Amino acid sequence: VQLQASGGGLVQAGGSLRLTCAASGGTFRSFGWFRQAPGKEREFVAAVVRYSSGPYYTDSVKGRFTISRDNAKNTLYLEMNSLKPEDTAVYYCAAGDPIISYVRASEGYKYWGQGTQVTVSS
C-alpha cells in the first residue's frame, strides 16, 4: 500500500491550496488528513468515511477546508481556502478502517503518506 501526497507549497494568507493523496495497493473505508507544525504534535484535520456520516473536521478548519474523495481513482483531496499562517505544517494523508470514535485519532489509521509541506506567509 502506498499513499502519495502532493500539492503543498508556499501561499500568502488568504490564499488557497489543494492537496491530493493518491492511494494504491488497496481500497479504504476511511481517509484522513493530519498535520504537524514544528514543535507540535500531529493533529487531526479532516476525514471522510465511506458509507458513513460526515465528513469530519477539526473546528479550526471548518468552513475553510473541504475534504473529498474520488473512489474510482482511489484519491483523496483537501481543498484549503482562506489559509492562515497557523495552518503552516506538514500535511499527511492517512488511510484505514477506524471505528467512528477513532476517525479523528492517528491511531485509527494504518497507512500514511510521506507528507507535503504547506507554508502560509502573513
Coordinates of all heavy atoms in Angstrom, one line a residue, residues 24-112:
S24 N -2.7 3.6 -3.6 CA -2.5 2.4 -4.5 C -2.3 1.2 -3.6 O -1.8 1.3 -2.5 CB -1.4 2.6 -5.5 OG -0.1 2.8 -4.8
G25 N -2.7 0.0 -4.1 CA -2.4 -1.2 -3.4 C -3.5 -1.6 -2.5 O -3.4 -2.6 -1.7
G26 N -4.6 -0.9 -2.4 CA -5.7 -1.3 -1.6 C -6.8 -0.3 -1.6 O -6.7 0.8 -2.2
T27 N -8.0 -0.6 -1.1 CA -9.1 0.3 -1.0 C -9.4 0.5 0.4 O -9.2 -0.5 1.2 CB -10.4 -0.2 -1.8 OG1 -10.7 -1.6 -1.3 CG2 -10.1 -0.3 -3.3
F28 N -9.9 1.6 0.8 CA -10.1 2.0 2.2 C -11.4 2.6 2.5 O -11.9 3.4 1.7 CB -8.9 3.0 2.6 CG -7.6 2.5 2.1 CD1 -7.0 3.0 1.0 CD2 -6.9 1.5 2.9 CE1 -5.8 2.5 0.6 CE2 -5.7 1.1 2.5 CZ -5.1 1.6 1.3
R29 N -11.9 2.3 3.6 CA -13.2 2.9 4.0 C -13.0 4.3 4.5 O -13.9 5.1 4.2 CB -13.8 2.0 5.2 CG -15.3 2.4 5.4 CD -15.9 1.4 6.4 NE -15.3 1.6 7.8 CZ -15.8 2.3 8.7 NH1 -16.9 3.0 8.4 NH2 -15.3 2.4 9.9
S30 N -11.9 4.6 5.1 CA -11.7 5.9 5.6 C -10.4 6.5 5.1 O -9.4 5.8 5.0 CB -11.6 5.9 7.2 OG -12.8 5.4 7.7
F31 N -10.4 7.8 4.9 CA -9.3 8.6 4.5 C -9.2 9.8 5.5 O -10.3 10.3 5.8 CB -9.3 9.2 3.1 CG -8.9 8.2 2.0 CD1 -9.8 7.8 1.1 CD2 -7.6 7.8 1.9 CE1 -9.4 6.9 0.1 CE2 -7.2 7.0 0.9 CZ -8.1 6.5 0.0
G32 N -8.0 10.2 5.9 CA -7.9 11.4 6.7 C -6.7 12.2 6.4 O -5.8 11.8 5.7
W33 N -6.8 13.5 6.8 CA -5.7 14.4 6.7 C -5.3 14.8 8.1 O -6.2 15.1 8.9 CB -6.0 15.6 5.9 CG -6.2 15.4 4.4 CD1 -7.3 15.3 3.7 CD2 -5.1 15.4 3.5 NE1 -7.0 15.2 2.4 CE2 -5.7 15.2 2.2 CE3 -3.7 15.4 3.6 CZ2 -4.9 15.1 1.0 CZ3 -2.9 15.3 2.4 CH2 -3.5 15.1 1.2
F34 N -4.0 14.8 8.4 CA -3.5 15.2 9.6 C -2.4 16.2 9.3 O -1.9 16.3 8.2 CB -2.9 14.1 10.4 CG -3.9 13.1 10.9 CD1 -4.6 12.2 10.1 CD2 -4.3 13.1 12.3 CE1 -5.5 11.3 10.6 CE2 -5.2 12.2 12.8 CZ -5.9 11.3 11.9
R35 N -2.0 17.0 10.3 CA -0.9 18.0 10.1 C 0.0 18.0 11.3 O -0.5 17.8 12.4 CB -1.4 19.3 9.7 CG -2.2 20.0 10.8 CD -2.8 21.3 10.2 NE -3.6 22.0 11.2 CZ -4.3 23.1 11.0 NH1 -4.4 23.6 9.7 NH2 -5.0 23.7 11.9
Q36 N 1.2 18.4 11.1 CA 2.2 18.6 12.2 C 3.0 19.8 12.0 O 3.7 19.9 11.0 CB 3.1 17.4 12.3 CG 3.9 17.4 13.6 CD 4.6 16.1 13.9 OE1 4.7 15.2 13.0 NE2 5.0 15.9 15.1
A37 N 2.8 20.8 12.9 CA 3.6 22.0 12.8 C 4.9 21.8 13.6 O 5.0 21.0 14.5 CB 2.8 23.2 13.4
P38 N 5.9 22.6 13.3 CA 7.2 22.5 14.0 C 7.0 22.6 15.6 O 6.3 23.5 16.0 CB 8.0 23.7 13.5 CG 7.5 23.9 12.2 CD 6.0 23.6 12.3
G39 N 7.5 21.7 16.3 CA 7.5 21.7 17.7 C 6.1 21.3 18.3 O 5.9 21.4 19.5
K40 N 5.2 20.8 17.5 CA 3.9 20.4 17.9 C 3.6 19.0 17.6 O 4.2 18.4 16.7 CB 2.8 21.4 17.3 CG 2.9 22.8 17.8 CD 1.7 23.6 17.3 CE 1.8 25.0 17.8 NZ 0.6 25.8 17.3
E41 N 2.6 18.4 18.2 CA 2.2 17.1 17.9 C 1.3 17.1 16.7 O 0.7 18.1 16.3 CB 1.4 16.5 19.1 CG 2.2 16.3 20.4 CD 1.5 15.6 21.4 OE1 0.3 15.3 21.3 OE2 2.1 15.2 22.5
R42 N 1.3 15.9 16.0 CA 0.4 15.7 14.9 C -1.0 15.9 15.3 O -1.4 15.3 16.3 CB 0.7 14.4 14.3 CG 0.0 14.1 12.9 CD 0.4 12.8 12.3 NE 1.8 12.7 12.0 CZ 2.4 11.7 11.4 NH1 1.6 10.7 11.0 NH2 3.7 11.7 11.1
E43 N -1.8 16.6 14.5 CA -3.2 16.8 14.8 C -4.1 16.5 13.7 O -3.7 16.6 12.5 CB -3.4 18.3 15.3 CG -3.2 19.3 14.2 CD -3.7 20.7 14.6 OE1 -4.3 20.8 15.7 OE2 -3.5 21.6 13.8
F44 N -5.3 16.1 14.0 CA -6.3 15.8 13.1 C -6.8 17.0 12.3 O -6.9 18.1 13.0 CB -7.5 15.1 13.8 CG -8.7 14.9 12.9 CD1 -8.8 13.9 12.0 CD2 -9.8 15.8 13.1 CE1 -9.9 13.8 11.2 CE2 -10.9 15.7 12.3 CZ -11.0 14.6 11.4
V45 N -7.0 16.9 11.0 CA -7.6 18.0 10.2 C -9.0 17.7 9.7 O -9.9 18.4 10.0 CB -6.6 18.4 9.1 CG1 -7.3 19.5 8.2 CG2 -5.3 18.8 9.6
A46 N -9.1 16.6 9.0 CA -10.3 16.2 8.4 C -10.3 14.7 8.0 O -9.3 14.1 7.8 CB -10.6 17.0 7.1
A47 N -11.5 14.2 7.9 CA -11.6 12.8 7.5 C -12.9 12.6 6.7 O -13.9 13.3 7.0 CB -11.6 11.8 8.7
V48 N -12.9 11.6 5.9 CA -14.1 11.2 5.2 C -14.2 9.7 5.2 O -13.2 8.9 5.0 CB -14.1 11.7 3.7 CG1 -12.8 11.2 3.0 CG2 -15.3 11.4 3.0
V49 N -15.4 9.2 5.5 CA -15.7 7.8 5.8 C -16.7 7.3 4.8 O -17.8 7.9 4.7 CB -16.1 7.5 7.2 CG1 -16.3 6.0 7.4 CG2 -15.1 8.0 8.2
R50 N -16.4 6.3 4.0 CA -17.3 5.8 3.0 C -18.5 5.1 3.8 O -18.3 4.4 4.8 CB -16.6 4.8 2.1 CG -17.3 4.5 0.8 CD -16.4 3.7 -0.1 NE -17.0 3.4 -1.4 CZ -16.4 2.8 -2.4 NH1 -15.2 2.3 -2.2 NH2 -17.0 2.6 -3.5
Y51 N -19.7 5.3 3.2 CA -20.9 4.7 3.8 C -21.2 5.1 5.2 O -21.7 4.4 6.0 CB -20.9 3.2 3.7 CG -20.5 2.6 2.4 CD1 -19.5 1.7 2.2 CD2 -21.2 3.0 1.2 CE1 -19.1 1.2 1.0 CE2 -20.8 2.5 0.0 CZ -19.8 1.6 -0.1 OH -19.5 1.1 -1.3
S52 N -20.8 6.4 5.5 CA -21.0 6.8 6.9 C -21.3 8.3 6.9 O -21.3 9.0 5.8 CB -19.7 6.6 7.7 OG -19.9 7.1 9.0
S53 N -21.7 8.8 8.0 CA -22.0 10.3 8.1 C -20.7 11.0 8.1 O -19.6 10.4 8.0 CB -22.7 10.5 9.4 OG -21.9 10.1 10.5
G54 N -20.7 12.3 8.0 CA -19.5 13.1 7.9 C -19.6 13.9 6.7 O -20.7 14.1 6.1
P55 N -18.5 14.5 6.2 CA -17.2 14.4 6.7 C -16.9 15.0 8.1 O -17.8 15.7 8.6 CB -16.3 15.1 5.6 CG -17.3 16.1 5.1 CD -18.6 15.5 5.1
Y56 N -15.7 14.8 8.6 CA -15.4 15.3 9.9 C -14.2 16.3 9.8 O -13.3 16.1 9.0 CB -14.9 14.1 10.8 CG -15.9 13.0 10.8 CD1 -15.9 12.0 9.9 CD2 -16.8 12.9 11.9 CE1 -16.8 10.9 9.9 CE2 -17.7 11.9 11.9 CZ -17.7 10.9 11.0 OH -18.7 9.9 11.0
Y57 N -14.3 17.4 10.6 CA -13.3 18.4 10.5 C -13.0 18.8 12.0 O -13.8 18.8 12.9 CB -13.8 19.7 9.8 CG -14.2 19.4 8.3 CD1 -15.5 19.2 7.9 CD2 -13.2 19.5 7.4 CE1 -15.8 19.0 6.6 CE2 -13.5 19.4 6.0 CZ -14.8 19.1 5.7 OH -15.0 18.9 4.3
T58 N -11.7 19.3 12.1 CA -11.4 19.9 13.4 C -12.0 21.3 13.3 O -12.1 21.9 12.2 CB -9.8 20.0 13.6 OG1 -9.6 20.4 14.9 CG2 -9.2 20.9 12.6
D59 N -12.3 21.9 14.4 CA -13.0 23.1 14.5 C -12.3 24.3 13.8 O -12.9 25.1 13.1 CB -13.3 23.5 15.9 CG -14.3 22.7 16.6 OD1 -15.1 22.0 15.9 OD2 -14.5 22.7 17.8
S60 N -11.0 24.3 13.8 CA -10.2 25.4 13.3 C -10.2 25.5 11.8 O -9.9 26.5 11.2 CB -8.8 25.4 13.8 OG -8.1 24.2 13.3
V61 N -10.7 24.5 11.1 CA -10.7 24.5 9.6 C -12.1 24.5 9.1 O -12.3 24.6 7.9 CB -9.9 23.4 9.0 CG1 -8.5 23.3 9.6 CG2 -10.5 22.0 9.2
K62 N -13.1 24.3 9.9 CA -14.5 24.2 9.4 C -14.8 25.5 8.7 O -14.5 26.6 9.1 CB -15.4 24.1 10.6 CG -15.5 22.7 11.2 CD -16.4 22.5 12.3 CE -16.5 21.1 12.9 NZ -17.4 21.0 14.1
G63 N -15.5 25.4 7.5 CA -15.8 26.5 6.7 C -14.7 27.0 5.8 O -15.0 27.8 4.9
R64 N -13.5 26.5 6.0 CA -12.4 26.9 5.1 C -11.8 25.7 4.3 O -11.4 25.9 3.2 CB -11.3 27.5 6.0 CG -11.7 28.7 6.8 CD -10.5 29.4 7.5 NE -9.8 28.5 8.4 CZ -8.5 28.1 8.3 NH1 -7.8 28.5 7.3 NH2 -8.0 27.3 9.2
F65 N -11.8 24.5 4.9 CA -11.3 23.4 4.2 C -12.4 22.4 3.8 O -13.4 22.3 4.6 CB -10.4 22.6 5.2 CG -9.1 23.3 5.5 CD1 -8.8 24.6 5.2 CD2 -8.1 22.6 6.1 CE1 -7.6 25.2 5.5 CE2 -6.8 23.2 6.5 CZ -6.6 24.5 6.1
T66 N -12.2 21.7 2.7 CA -13.2 20.7 2.3 C -12.4 19.5 1.9 O -11.5 19.5 1.0 CB -14.0 21.2 1.1 OG1 -14.7 22.4 1.4 CG2 -15.0 20.2 0.6
I67 N -12.8 18.4 2.5 CA -12.2 17.1 2.2 C -13.2 16.3 1.2 O -14.4 16.4 1.4 CB -12.0 16.2 3.5 CG1 -11.2 15.0 3.1 CG2 -13.3 15.9 4.2 CD1 -10.7 14.2 4.4
S68 N -12.6 15.6 0.3 CA -13.4 14.9 -0.6 C -12.6 13.7 -1.1 O -11.4 13.6 -1.0 CB -13.9 15.7 -1.8 OG -12.8 16.2 -2.5
R69 N -13.3 12.7 -1.7 CA -12.6 11.5 -2.2 C -13.2 11.1 -3.5 O -14.4 11.3 -3.8 CB -12.7 10.4 -1.2 CG -14.1 9.9 -0.9 CD -14.1 8.9 0.2 NE -13.4 7.6 -0.1 CZ -13.2 6.6 0.7 NH1 -13.5 6.8 2.0 NH2 -12.6 5.5 0.3
D70 N -12.4 10.6 -4.4 CA -12.8 10.0 -5.7 C -12.6 8.5 -5.6 O -11.5 8.1 -5.7 CB -12.1 10.7 -6.8 CG -12.6 10.2 -8.2 OD1 -13.0 9.0 -8.3 OD2 -12.5 11.0 -9.1
N71 N -13.6 7.8 -5.3 CA -13.5 6.3 -5.1 C -13.0 5.6 -6.4 O -12.2 4.7 -6.3 CB -14.8 5.7 -4.6 CG -15.2 6.2 -3.2 OD1 -14.3 6.4 -2.4 ND2 -16.4 6.5 -3.0
A72 N -13.4 6.1 -7.5 CA -13.0 5.5 -8.7 C -11.5 5.6 -9.0 O -10.8 4.7 -9.5 CB -13.7 6.1 -9.9
K73 N -10.9 6.7 -8.5 CA -9.5 7.0 -8.6 C -8.7 6.6 -7.4 O -7.5 6.7 -7.4 CB -9.2 8.4 -9.0 CG -9.8 8.9 -10.4 CD -9.5 10.3 -10.6 CE -10.0 10.8 -12.0 NZ -9.8 12.2 -12.3
N74 N -9.4 6.2 -6.3 CA -8.8 5.9 -5.0 C -7.9 7.1 -4.6 O -6.8 6.9 -4.2 CB -8.0 4.7 -5.1 CG -8.0 3.8 -3.9 OD1 -8.8 4.1 -3.0 ND2 -7.1 2.9 -3.8
T75 N -8.5 8.3 -4.7 CA -7.8 9.5 -4.4 C -8.5 10.4 -3.4 O -9.7 10.5 -3.5 CB -7.5 10.3 -5.7 OG1 -6.7 9.5 -6.6 CG2 -6.7 11.6 -5.5
L76 N -7.7 11.0 -2.6 CA -8.3 11.9 -1.5 C -7.8 13.3 -1.8 O -6.7 13.6 -2.3 CB -7.7 11.5 -0.2 CG -8.1 12.3 1.0 CD1 -9.6 12.1 1.4 CD2 -7.2 12.0 2.2
Y77 N -8.7 14.3 -1.5 CA -8.4 15.7 -1.7 C -8.6 16.5 -0.5 O -9.5 16.1 0.4 CB -9.2 16.3 -2.9 CG -9.1 15.5 -4.2 CD1 -10.1 14.6 -4.5 CD2 -8.1 15.8 -5.1 CE1 -10.0 13.9 -5.7 CE2 -8.0 15.0 -6.2 CZ -8.9 14.1 -6.6 OH -8.8 13.4 -7.7
L78 N -7.9 17.6 -0.4 CA -8.2 18.6 0.7 C -8.1 20.0 0.0 O -7.0 20.4 -0.3 CB -7.2 18.5 1.8 CG -7.6 19.4 3.0 CD1 -8.9 19.0 3.7 CD2 -6.4 19.4 4.0
E79 N -9.3 20.6 -0.1 CA -9.3 22.0 -0.7 C -9.2 22.9 0.5 O -10.0 22.9 1.4 CB -10.6 22.2 -1.4 CG -10.7 23.5 -2.2 CD -9.9 23.5 -3.4 OE1 -9.8 22.4 -4.1 OE2 -9.3 24.5 -3.8
M80 N -8.2 23.7 0.5 CA -7.9 24.6 1.6 C -8.1 26.1 1.1 O -7.3 26.5 0.3 CB -6.5 24.4 2.2 CG -6.3 23.0 2.6 SD -4.7 22.7 3.4 CE -3.6 23.1 2.1
N81 N -9.0 26.8 1.7 CA -9.2 28.2 1.4 C -9.0 29.1 2.6 O -9.0 28.6 3.7 CB -10.7 28.4 0.8 CG -10.9 27.6 -0.4 OD1 -10.1 27.6 -1.4 ND2 -12.0 26.9 -0.5
S82 N -8.9 30.4 2.3 CA -8.7 31.3 3.4 C -7.6 30.9 4.4 O -7.8 30.9 5.6 CB -10.0 31.5 4.2 OG -11.1 32.0 3.3
L83 N -6.5 30.5 3.8 CA -5.4 30.0 4.6 C -4.9 31.0 5.6 O -4.8 32.2 5.2 CB -4.3 29.4 3.7 CG -4.7 28.0 3.1 CD1 -3.8 27.7 1.9 CD2 -4.5 27.0 4.2
K84 N -4.4 30.5 6.7 CA -3.9 31.4 7.8 C -2.5 30.9 8.1 O -2.1 29.7 7.9 CB -4.8 31.3 9.0 CG -6.2 31.6 8.8 CD -7.0 31.4 10.1 CE -8.5 31.7 9.9 NZ -9.3 31.5 11.1
P85 N -1.6 31.8 8.6 CA -0.3 31.4 9.0 C -0.3 30.2 9.9 O 0.6 29.3 9.9 CB 0.3 32.6 9.7 CG -0.4 33.8 9.0 CD -1.8 33.3 8.8
E86 N -1.3 30.1 10.8 CA -1.3 29.0 11.7 C -1.7 27.6 11.1 O -1.7 26.6 11.7 CB -2.3 29.2 12.9 CG -3.7 29.7 12.4 CD -3.8 31.2 12.4 OE1 -2.9 31.9 12.0 OE2 -4.9 31.7 12.9
D87 N -2.0 27.7 9.8 CA -2.2 26.4 9.0 C -0.9 25.8 8.5 O -0.8 24.7 8.0 CB -3.1 26.7 7.8 CG -4.5 27.1 8.2 OD1 -5.1 26.4 9.1 OD2 -5.1 28.0 7.6
T88 N 0.2 26.6 8.7 CA 1.5 26.1 8.3 C 1.9 24.8 9.0 O 1.9 24.8 10.2 CB 2.6 27.2 8.6 OG1 2.3 28.3 7.7 CG2 4.0 26.7 8.2
A89 N 2.2 23.8 8.2 CA 2.5 22.5 8.8 C 2.9 21.5 7.7 O 2.7 21.8 6.5 CB 1.3 21.9 9.6
V90 N 3.4 20.4 8.0 CA 3.4 19.3 7.1 C 2.1 18.5 7.2 O 1.7 18.1 8.3 CB 4.6 18.3 7.4 CG1 4.6 17.1 6.5 CG2 5.9 19.1 7.4
Y91 N 1.5 18.3 6.0 CA 0.2 17.7 6.0 C 0.4 16.2 5.5 O 1.1 16.0 4.5 CB -0.7 18.4 5.0 CG -1.3 19.7 5.6 CD1 -0.5 20.8 5.9 CD2 -2.6 19.8 6.0 CE1 -1.0 21.9 6.4 CE2 -3.2 20.9 6.5 CZ -2.3 22.0 6.8 OH -2.8 23.1 7.4
Y92 N -0.2 15.3 6.2 CA -0.1 13.9 6.0 C -1.5 13.3 5.6 O -2.5 13.6 6.3 CB 0.4 13.1 7.2 CG 1.8 13.5 7.6 CD1 2.0 14.5 8.5 CD2 2.9 12.9 7.1 CE1 3.3 14.9 8.9 CE2 4.2 13.2 7.5 CZ 4.4 14.2 8.4 OH 5.6 14.6 8.8
C93 N -1.6 12.5 4.6 CA -2.8 11.7 4.4 C -2.7 10.4 5.0 O -1.6 9.8 5.2 CB -3.1 11.6 2.9 SG -1.9 10.8 1.9
A94 N -3.8 9.8 5.4 CA -3.8 8.5 6.1 C -5.0 7.7 5.6 O -6.1 8.3 5.2 CB -3.9 8.7 7.6
A95 N -4.9 6.4 5.6 CA -6.0 5.6 5.2 C -6.1 4.4 6.1 O -5.1 3.9 6.7 CB -5.7 5.1 3.7
G96 N -7.3 3.9 6.2 CA -7.5 2.8 7.1 C -9.0 2.5 7.3 O -9.9 3.0 6.5
D97 N -9.3 1.8 8.4 CA -10.7 1.4 8.7 C -10.9 1.6 10.2 O -11.3 0.7 10.9 CB -10.9 0.0 8.3 CG -12.3 -0.4 8.4 OD1 -13.2 0.5 8.3 OD2 -12.6 -1.6 8.5
P98 N -10.8 2.9 10.7 CA -11.0 3.1 12.1 C -12.5 3.1 12.4 O -13.3 3.4 11.6 CB -10.5 4.5 12.3 CG -10.7 5.2 11.0 CD -10.4 4.1 10.0
I99 N -12.8 2.6 13.6 CA -14.2 2.8 14.1 C -14.5 4.3 14.2 O -13.5 5.1 14.3 CB -14.4 2.1 15.4 CG1 -13.5 2.6 16.5 CG2 -14.3 0.6 15.3 CD1 -13.7 2.0 17.9
I100 N -15.7 4.6 14.2 CA -16.1 6.1 14.1 C -15.5 6.9 15.2 O -15.0 8.0 15.0 CB -17.6 6.2 14.1 CG1 -18.2 5.7 12.7 CG2 -18.0 7.7 14.2 CD1 -17.6 6.3 11.5
S101 N -15.4 6.3 16.4 CA -14.8 7.0 17.5 C -13.4 7.3 17.4 O -12.8 8.1 18.1 CB -15.1 6.3 18.8 OG -14.6 5.0 18.8
Y102 N -12.7 6.6 16.4 CA -11.3 6.8 16.2 C -11.0 7.5 14.9 O -9.8 7.6 14.5 CB -10.5 5.5 16.3 CG -10.1 5.1 17.7 CD1 -11.0 4.5 18.5 CD2 -8.8 5.3 18.1 CE1 -10.6 4.2 19.8 CE2 -8.4 5.0 19.4 CZ -9.3 4.4 20.2 OH -9.0 4.1 21.5
V103 N -12.0 8.0 14.2 CA -11.8 8.7 13.0 C -10.9 9.9 13.1 O -10.1 10.2 12.2 CB -13.2 9.2 12.4 CG1 -13.0 10.2 11.3 CG2 -13.9 8.0 11.9
R104 N -10.9 10.6 14.2 CA -10.1 11.8 14.5 C -8.7 11.4 15.1 O -8.0 12.3 15.4 CB -10.8 12.8 15.3 CG -12.1 13.4 14.7 CD -12.8 14.3 15.6 NE -13.9 15.0 15.0 CZ -15.1 14.6 14.9 NH1 -15.4 13.4 15.4 NH2 -16.0 15.3 14.3
A105 N -8.5 10.2 15.3 CA -7.2 9.8 16.0 C -6.3 9.2 15.0 O -6.6 8.3 14.2 CB -7.6 8.8 17.1
S106 N -5.0 9.6 15.1 CA -4.0 9.0 14.2 C -3.9 7.5 14.4 O -3.5 6.8 13.5 CB -2.7 9.7 14.5 OG -2.2 9.6 15.8
E107 N -4.2 7.0 15.7 CA -4.1 5.6 15.9 C -5.1 4.8 15.1 O -5.0 3.6 15.0 CB -4.3 5.3 17.4 CG -3.3 5.9 18.4 CD -3.5 7.3 18.7 OE1 -4.5 7.9 18.1 OE2 -2.8 7.9 19.6
G108 N -6.1 5.4 14.6 CA -7.1 4.7 13.8 C -6.7 4.4 12.4 O -7.4 3.7 11.7
Y109 N -5.6 4.9 12.0 CA -5.2 4.7 10.6 C -3.9 3.9 10.5 O -2.9 4.1 11.2 CB -4.9 6.1 9.9 CG -6.2 6.9 9.9 CD1 -6.6 7.7 11.0 CD2 -7.0 6.9 8.8 CE1 -7.8 8.4 11.0 CE2 -8.2 7.6 8.7 CZ -8.6 8.4 9.8 OH -9.7 9.1 9.8
K110 N -3.9 2.9 9.5 CA -2.8 2.0 9.4 C -1.8 2.5 8.4 O -0.6 2.2 8.5 CB -3.3 0.7 8.9 CG -2.3 -0.4 8.8 CD -2.9 -1.8 8.5 CE -1.9 -2.9 8.5 NZ -2.5 -4.2 8.2
Y111 N -2.2 3.2 7.4 CA -1.3 3.6 6.3 C -1.2 5.1 6.2 O -2.2 5.9 6.4 CB -1.9 3.1 4.9 CG -2.1 1.6 4.9 CD1 -3.3 1.0 5.0 CD2 -1.0 0.7 4.8 CE1 -3.5 -0.3 5.1 CE2 -1.1 -0.6 4.8 CZ -2.4 -1.1 5.0 OH -2.6 -2.5 5.0
W112 N 0.0 5.6 5.9 CA 0.3 7.0 5.9 C 1.2 7.4 4.7 O 2.0 6.6 4.3 CB 1.1 7.4 7.2 CG 0.3 7.3 8.4 CD1 0.0 6.2 9.2 CD2 -0.4 8.3 9.1 NE1 -0.8 6.5 10.2 CE2 -1.1 7.8 10.2 CE3 -0.5 9.7 8.8 CZ2 -1.9 8.6 11.1 CZ3 -1.3 10.5 9.7 CH2 -2.0 9.9 10.8

